[in-house]
Each structure stands twice: as structure tokens, then as C-alpha cells.
């Protein structure tokens, strides 16, 4: 298989070629690094969100949209399928790189993380990427500048001219779409944290609703989390059984049962104080190859309707 960053760079090139059609903006900095505005100074979009989610998964996932009802109202849902769940979801899509440089605050996802490979997921996967370009998608209210480029280039071991930074705000249509694409990632990450070998997950498919775009980052964070915790559905095919599959869904958390804006406010938006099991999909089906099928959790349309203002 090609390096993850090679596959992601090819998708970034495609996004640049179709920037007008995607309604994104492309900027080359003095360092020759490339910043792509997917939803900071531009509104973002469904197609832009799907393209960015494909970049975040290094081209190892197939993404599409469908319409499904939430409390008798049609809502766009994002569907994702991958036969490389370890690499696509944990090795690439997971938002595991925090950046705080000068006035810039952002959370990075994408295959550039695999060039650094310091997170525990990469030891579990037995993988480190090797390529001269780095693709890091940034969730931030601001577009990155040269200080961010220098940090990414230094940690990833690439020249600054080889850094590509697609960037979007949580409170954008792109932000809502890419968040909805994370249901499978949350399930596989939670399994991995529970001690299950992510390489034993053979395929992952998922669906989650696209949250309405909020008027600020805090509300957007809450709504997009609601979309996953109360509306995300995941189907995994695995090779080995486990007695902890029931702990993967959001219903396993004691704080489960109210919109996340209230949950976040209860801890003064200090996410570290919340149990990690809250950040999980609503429902999970697990097929064990040659064995049983298990179903856990359920969707809660009433909580989604309250969060989305339906």
C-alpha cells in the first residue's frame, strides 16, 4: 500500500483542481506550504465536507450522503465505509494532534499524525508513515500561518513546502459533515481503548446525521457530538469476540441522556473532566466472522430534535 500521506496528497491535489466547484479557497504561504480554507472564511459545503473526510481518512474510506428522518423531518446523513478501519480511522482520521501556537488554537487530524506516530494507536497498529509531504486537517476558527507550518514540518520531518493544511471551523457546513463522518472512528477507538486489537476489526460502516450549523464554535461542538452520541450507527465486522462490545456505545456512560450543550456546561466546557465513554456512537452492530451477531444501544430522535431545534 502507498504511504497514507501520498494518498491524501493526491486527494488534496484533486481538491485544489476543483476548488471552485467545492467552493473552497486555496492559499500558498511564503514558505510554499498550502492552506486550504474548507470552512473558515468560506461557508463550506456538503461536497467539501465529503472531500475533506476522504482526505482525513487518506482515501481509505468511501463516503456518501443519504436522507433519513429524525422525528419526521428529513435530515442529511453521512455514510462511511472502510475495509481498512485501523489505518483509515485511527491512523489517519482521528483528531489526535493539538496545536497551540501564538494566537492559533486547533485540533489536527489526518495522515500527518502517522509521520510522527507518537500516539498509542500507532504502536497498536504497528505503523509509521514515511513520505516527503504531510497532510494535516485543522479544526479551527482561524486559518494557520507560518508558525503552524513550521511546527508541523518540524514534527513530521518534512520540508515546509511539503505541508498541506486543509482547515475548517466546527461551526461550518464542512464541520458538521466531517463530524458526522466520525461515528465509525469513535467506535473503533473506543474498542481499542478497551483493549481490543484494532487489527481484528476487518471492516466498518457507519451513518450519522449532519447537525445544523451553529452560530458559534461551542454550540457547534455540542450539536455535532449529539449527532454522533444520539444518532450515530456503526456496523463492524470483526475476527475475534469480546465481552466488552457493550461498552462501545454512548449509552454505557452515566451522563448519557441529555443534549451535550448541557453536559458541557456542567463541567464548564472542560472536556477532560468528562468520561471518555460519552464520546461514542448511539448504536453498534458487531458481526463476528464465523460467530454471533451482537447489537447494542439505540438512536434517540427526541434528543437530536431538541439539540437541532426541530
Amino acid at each position: 500500500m502507498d504511504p497514507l500521506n501520498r494518498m491524501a496528497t493526491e486527494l488534496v491535489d484533486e481538491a485544489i483542481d476543483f476548488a471552485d466547484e467545492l467552493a473552497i479557497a486555496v492559499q500558498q504561504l511564503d514558505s510554499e506550504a498550502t492552506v486550504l480554507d474548507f470552512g473558515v472564511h468560506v461557508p463550506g459545503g456538503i461536497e467539501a465536507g465529503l472531500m475533506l473526510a476522504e482526505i482525513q481518512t487518506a482515501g481509505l474510506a468511501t463516503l456518501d450522503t443519504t436522507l433519513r428522518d429524525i422525528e419526521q423531518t428529513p435530515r442529511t446523513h453521512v455514510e462511511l465505509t472502510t475495509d481498512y478501519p485501523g489505518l483509515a480511522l485511527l491512523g489517519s482520521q482521528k483528531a489526535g494532534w493539538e496545536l497551540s501556537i501564538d494566537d492559533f488554537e486547533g485540533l489536527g487530524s489526518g495522515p500527518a499524525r502517522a509521520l510522527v506516530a507518537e500516539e498509542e494507536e500507532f504502536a497498536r497498529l504497528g505503523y509509521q508513515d514515511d513520505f516527503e509531504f504531510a497532510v494535516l486537517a485543522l479544526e479551527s476558527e482561524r486559518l494557520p500561518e507560518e508558525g503552524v507550518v513550521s511546527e508541523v514540518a518540524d514534527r513530521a520531518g518534512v520540508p515546509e513546502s511539503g505541508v498541506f493544511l486543509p482547515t475548517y471551523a466546527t461551526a461550518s457546513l464542512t464541520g458538521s459533515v466531517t463530524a458526522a463522518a466520525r461515528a465509525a472512528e469513535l467506535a473503533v477507538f473506543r474498542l481499542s481503548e478497551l483493549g481490543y486489537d484494532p487489527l481484528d476489526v476487518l471492516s466498518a460502516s457507519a451513518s450519522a446525521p449532519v447537525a445544523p450549523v451553529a452560530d458559534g464554535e461551542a454550540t457547534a461542538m455540542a450539536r455535532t457530538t449529539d449527532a454522533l452520541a444520539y444518532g450515530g450507527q456503526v456496523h463492524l465486522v470483526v475476527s475475534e469476540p469480546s465481552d466488552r462490545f457493550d461498552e462501545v456505545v454512548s449509552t454505557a456512560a452515566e451522563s448519557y441522556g441529555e443534549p451535550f450543550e448541557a453536559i458541557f456546561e456542567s463541567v464548564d466546557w472542560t472536556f477532560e473532566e468528562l468520561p471518555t465513554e460519552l464520546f461514542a456512537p448511539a448504536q453498534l452492530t458487531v458481526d463476528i466472522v464465523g460467530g454471533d451477531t451482537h447489537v447494542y444501544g439505540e438512536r434517540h430522535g427526541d434528543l437530536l430534535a431538541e439539540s437541532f431545534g426541530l
Side-chain angles (χ1 to χ4, degrees), residues 63-125:
L63 291 115
D64 206 345
T65 59
T66 189
L67 277 180
R68 294 181 58 188
D69 281 358
I70 296 175
E71 299 295 276
Q72 290 77 54
T73 65
R75 298 292 311 177
T76 301
H77 284 60
V78 173
E79 297 181 337
L80 175 147
T81 298
T82 178
D83 288 329
Y84 298 92
L87 287 178
L89 307 179
L90 302 187
S92 192
Q93 187 186 27
K94 178 176 174 282
W97 188 335
E98 295 184 23
L99 290 117
S100 180
I101 300 161
D102 299 325
D103 294 329
F104 181 88
E105 299 284 341
L107 189 59
S109 60
R113 296 172 39 251
L115 294 167
V116 182
E118 292 178 353
E119 299 166 55
E120 291 181 2
E121 287 77 20
F122 295 100
R124 296 170 189 167
L125 295 169

Side-chain angles (χ1 to χ4, degrees), residues 19-248:
D20 291 342
E21 291 83 352
L22 291 169
I24 65 174
V26 181
Q27 175 187 7
Q28 191 169 68
L29 304 183
D30 290 341
S31 61
E32 298 186 5
T34 303
V35 173
L36 297 89
D37 185 349
F38 270 83
V40 177
H41 299 309
V42 302
I46 297 289
E47 292 298 330
L50 293 176
M51 170 59 82
L52 185 53
E54 192 174 358
I55 290 169
Q56 288 171 310
T57 54
L60 292 176
T62 300
L63 291 115
D64 206 345
T65 59
T66 189
L67 277 180
R68 294 181 58 188
D69 281 358
I70 296 175
E71 299 295 276
Q72 290 77 54
T73 65
R75 298 292 311 177
T76 301
H77 284 60
V78 173
E79 297 181 337
L80 175 147
T81 298
T82 178
D83 288 329
Y84 298 92
L87 287 178
L89 307 179
L90 302 187
S92 192
Q93 187 186 27
K94 178 176 174 282
W97 188 335
E98 295 184 23
L99 290 117
S100 180
I101 300 161
D102 299 325
D103 294 329
F104 181 88
E105 299 284 341
L107 189 59
S109 60
R113 296 172 39 251
L115 294 167
V116 182
E118 292 178 353
E119 299 166 55
E120 291 181 2
E121 287 77 20
F122 295 100
R124 296 170 189 167
L125 295 169
Y127 184 83
Q128 181 166 3
D129 214 33
D130 183 15
F131 197 57
E132 62 266 30
F133 297 154
V135 179
L136 188 69
L138 298 175
E139 187 174 0
S140 176
E141 295 180 88
R142 301 184 58 175
L143 292 176
E145 298 179 346
E146 296 290 7
V148 177
V149 172
S150 297
E151 172 74 9
V152 173
D154 183 60
R155 290 198 63 199
V158 301
E160 293 185 358
S161 60
V163 173
F164 296 87
L165 301 174
T167 307
Y168 64 100
T170 312
S172 69
L173 189 48
T174 301
S176 290
V177 171
T178 58
R182 292 189 177 276
E185 176 221 315
L186 291 182
V188 176
F189 174 70
R190 180 78 181 129
L191 264 180
S192 179
E193 290 291 286
L194 290 169
Y196 191 82
D197 187 344
L199 297 177
D200 288 336
V201 183
L202 305 180
S203 74
S205 299
S207 172
V210 175
V213 179
D215 59 1
E217 292 293 282
T219 302
M221 180 67 70
R223 282 184 181 174
T224 54
T225 306
D226 285 329
L228 295 165
Y230 300 128
Q233 294 176 295
V234 179
H235 174 214
L236 302 180
V237 178
V238 304
S239 61
E240 296 296 331
S242 171
D243 59 1
R244 306 193 72 177
F245 289 142
D246 62 320
E247 298 179 54
V248 171

Side-chain angles (χ1 to χ4, degrees), residues 3 107 276 288:
L107 189 59
T276 57
I288 302 170

